[in-house]
Amino acid sequence: MDRLEQFADSLRRSVELIHQLEGVMLEEMRAIESRAPEQLQQIVVEKLELVDRLEHETAQQKGWVELEHHSFTPEGIDAFITAVDPKDQLRKPWGELRAGIGRCDGLNKKNARLIERDQKRIALSLRILKGEDGASSTYDPKGRAQTSRIQGRTISQA
């Protein structure tokens, strides 16, 4: 099997892996939204395994692209495909992979925002339980958030 066939096989595996990763990230979003920590832990393990496999494929692809004296960037890979694939058969899976990466990046950002939102909600609940005024937040002259230090009554004192 020549390098072009090896690259094509690796690219196909990457496309399959990115689709699996996208599915797992959608499951992750549902687990975050439903606050299912046990399910979330299983999903994170599965996600990390997929990312490891994708990184392995990417490292191999990088080697093949650089052997042909192209940079391992989207532009360099486009140039690599143009140079080594006269039938342009790699263009479609390469486009699928890039699109999948974009969708996974978007899901990752959305999941991070969901987690951040939950962390803020929990922190606010804890401040209220400790008797701190969680609602009063002001800004200093430089525009930075400044939480007031006024203590209220704790829930046990109420």
Side-chain angles (χ1 to χ4, degrees), residues 22-82:
E22 186 176 2
V24 168
M25 293 180 86
L26 287 168
E27 288 178 35
E28 180 182 45
M29 182 188 331
R30 288 188 287 273
I32 293 167
E33 289 173 337
S34 65
R35 296 182 181 94
E38 297 83 21
Q39 182 184 9
L40 188 57
Q41 286 177 334
Q42 294 171 348
I43 291 169
V44 168
V45 168
E46 186 178 352
K47 184 172 83 168
L48 290 174
E49 288 173 4
L50 287 169
V51 168
D52 285 345
R53 290 173 59 195
L54 266 166
E55 286 176 348
H56 174 76
E57 293 300 332
T58 301
Q60 287 184 321
Q61 294 162 10
K62 182 178 190 280
W64 289 313
V65 169
E66 289 177 347
L67 274 173
E68 297 295 325
H69 309 290
H70 296 281
S71 62
F72 196 69
T73 62
E75 298 79 19
I77 294 171
D78 282 335
F80 167 79
I81 290 171
T82 300

